[in-house]
Amino acid sequence: MDITTNYLGLSLKNPIVPSASPLSKNIDTAKKLEDAGAAALVMYSLFEEEMIEEAENLDFLMQGQSLGSAEAEMYLPVADCYKNCLDLYLEQLGKLKNELEIPVIASLNGITNGGWIEHARDIEQAGADALELNIYYIPTDITESGEQVEARYIDILKAVKKQVSIPVTCKLTSQFSSPGHFIKQLESAGADGVSLFNRFYQPDINLETLEIDPSLHLSSPYESLLRMHWIALLHGQTKLSIAATGGVHDVEAVIKLLMAGADITHLCSILLKEGPDVIIDILNGLTAWLTENEYESVSQLKGSVSKGKAINPIAFERVNYLQVLQGYSL
Ligand SMILES: Cc1cc2nc3c(=O)[nH]c(=O)nc-3n(C[C@H](O)[C@H](O)[C@H](O)COP(=O)(O)O)c2cc1C
């Protein structure tokens, strides 16, 4: 059975790729993911805010020195052995590249078109096979228009593309007024792929303290349906590689997302919950399903139930909404 797939110009042995998560912080865990069959690995993100905060702290320390306290000088970091978050990230990327045979996709995460973007080049030089750009932007200023928000993404993407020649994919939220139109704009601006969709981590109100609690709930399988819907709509309408991320917990979700048109499916929550061996089960299940249903390859499966090819394509449109609501029986 041919379960290979092409993603961002990379030839992958199968469509299962662990997405950005703390799992890539540990080399042994990364090895286990590879041994279980992962076709590539996305690293945890290097965040703009981390880099800026560190630069500001360092600046503050250096200025402290110039104020001239001999005692304070003793607390200054020793330049030669001081490693900032970028150094540590590049070091981990180098280790992953040395230890793993599968491609490693680095992840840059930020929201401004600032100096941090230049580090995309360092990431390429450290050996990343591709770069995922996560612009997790929450437009809290209600005077900012949708057009301005989209322009922010495009500007950052273009700036990153200027730094590197490796493929760049954008990890997006679903909350654009016209996701398909925006994805076509990213394509024109030079993106090589999109990863659909970011999950939002909504803050919660603590009823005892009345404070806002940041909360992280792992995903549920139901969330994969939003991804399936949009990937099915996009398939055949963009040249970009498409990764599905969010709610992929089992082989059924993988098959459906590939049928919708995904090139790869990302796993995160299920790996955090159950460990790397989930990948073995999914890959066995995928091969068994393809064989039983007389498919020859993953390529044959890809996009076979996208909007352009489905037997009842209008089910992806508003009419489905009407039928679902009106068909509910009490
Ligand atoms: C603990 C944790 C850490 C994560 N870290 C990152 C990260 O550093 N960068 C990123 O782009 N996404 C990160 N994600 C998001 C995941 O890569 C993934 O897109 C999301 O969890 C949806 O997939 P899932 O339903 O399989 O969990 C993280 C998710 C979790 C749960």
Side-chain angles (χ1 to χ4, degrees):
M1 181 59 64
D2 176 7
I3 57 169
T4 58
T5 185
N6 197 292
Y7 177 61
L8 301 175
L10 304 167
S11 199
L12 302 185
K13 60 186 176 182
N14 68 60
I16 307 299
V17 177
S19 64
S21 86
L23 293 169
S24 50
K25 289 187 173 171
N26 182 294
I27 299 292
D28 285 343
T29 311
K31 288 281 287 171
K32 283 184 189 149
L33 292 168
E34 179 177 66
D35 291 345
L41 178 67
V42 185
M43 267 182 91
Y44 57 93
S45 293
L46 177 61
F47 292 90
E48 172 186 7
E49 290 83 350
E50 270 181 301
M51 290 185 260
I52 290 175
E53 193 188 331
E54 240 174 35
E56 282 172 359
N57 287 344
L58 200 62
D59 208 37
F60 179 73
L61 277 171
M62 292 313 205
Q63 279 174 14
Q65 184 189 31
S66 68
L67 287 176
S69 157
E71 196 186 349
E73 275 177 32
M74 293 171 62
Y75 296 103
L76 284 172
V78 184
D80 284 352
C81 66
Y82 175 72
K83 285 184 184 160
N84 62 23
C85 59
L86 173 68
D87 297 329
L88 294 171
Y89 194 82
L90 298 177
E91 197 173 284
Q92 181 69 357
L93 171 56
K95 282 187 198 158
L96 288 167
K97 283 296 298 171
N98 276 341
E99 296 293 326
L100 304 180
E101 284 171 22
I102 54 177
V104 178
I105 301 169
S107 167
L108 262 184
N109 205 316
I111 54 167
T112 69
N113 187 354
W116 65 284
I117 287 174
E118 288 170 20
H119 298 311
R121 187 177 297 173
D122 300 318
I123 284 175
E124 176 171 37
Q125 282 166 358
D129 295 281
L131 183 61
E132 186 173 87
L133 181 61
N134 191 346
I135 305 167
Y136 187 103
Y137 181 65
I138 303 176
T140 49
D141 173 1
I142 61 166
T143 64
E144 191 177 17
S145 70
E147 220 170 12
Q148 287 170 309
V149 172
E150 291 185 3
R152 173 187 292 268
Y153 280 74
I154 303 286
D155 288 349
I156 296 176
L157 169 67
K158 283 185 176 165
V160 169
K161 284 290 289 187
K162 272 196 196 143
Q163 298 296 327
V164 296
S165 54
I166 50 174
V168 178
T169 183
C170 297
K171 189 168 183 178
L172 302 176
T173 136
S174 60
Q175 295 181 356
F176 290 94
S177 55
S178 180
H181 179 263
F182 177 52
I183 285 166
K184 288 301 284 181
Q185 279 182 266
L186 290 171
E187 186 177 331
S188 305
D192 299 279
V194 279
S195 191
L196 308 177
F197 289 115
N198 258 324
R199 290 179 72 230
F200 276 116
Y201 301 101
Q202 281 89 358
D204 200 356
I205 296 175
N206 183 320
L207 285 180
E208 278 171 22
T209 63
L210 301 189
E211 281 176 336
I212 307 296
D213 279 343
S215 52
L216 193 159
H217 302 281
L218 295 180
S219 66
S220 75
Y222 175 75
E223 295 175 46
S224 70
L225 296 182
L226 174 73
R227 282 75 185 166
M228 198 192 78
H229 190 174
W230 278 100
I231 291 171
L233 291 173
L234 283 167
H235 180 76
Q237 302 206 71
T238 172
K239 293 193 192 81
L240 298 181
S241 289
I242 301 179
T245 179
V248 188
H249 287 214
D250 52 29
V251 68
E252 284 78 14
V254 169
I255 294 168
K256 289 178 197 175
L257 287 159
L258 292 170
M259 280 178 161
D263 296 298
I264 61 155
T265 52
H266 281 310
L267 305 182
C268 177
S269 289
I270 195 69
L271 291 173
L272 292 171
K273 259 194 260 176
E274 295 186 15
D277 285 356
V278 170
I279 297 176
I280 301 177
D281 296 340
I282 290 182
L283 288 173
N284 287 340
L286 177 62
T287 308
W289 192 93
L290 290 169
T291 309
E292 267 165 41
N293 291 278
E294 299 181 358
Y295 283 83
E296 284 169 9
S297 64
V298 157
S299 306
Q300 198 187 352
L301 190 66
K302 258 194 227 176
S304 55
V305 191
S306 57
K307 181 167 180 278
K309 296 198 181 148
I311 301 165
N312 53 343
I314 55 164
F316 288 116
E317 297 182 13
R318 180 181 157 88
V319 65
N320 179 50
Y321 161 69
L322 275 178
Q323 283 165 359
V324 166
L325 296 191
Q326 290 172 350
Y328 185 79
S329 47
L330 293 171

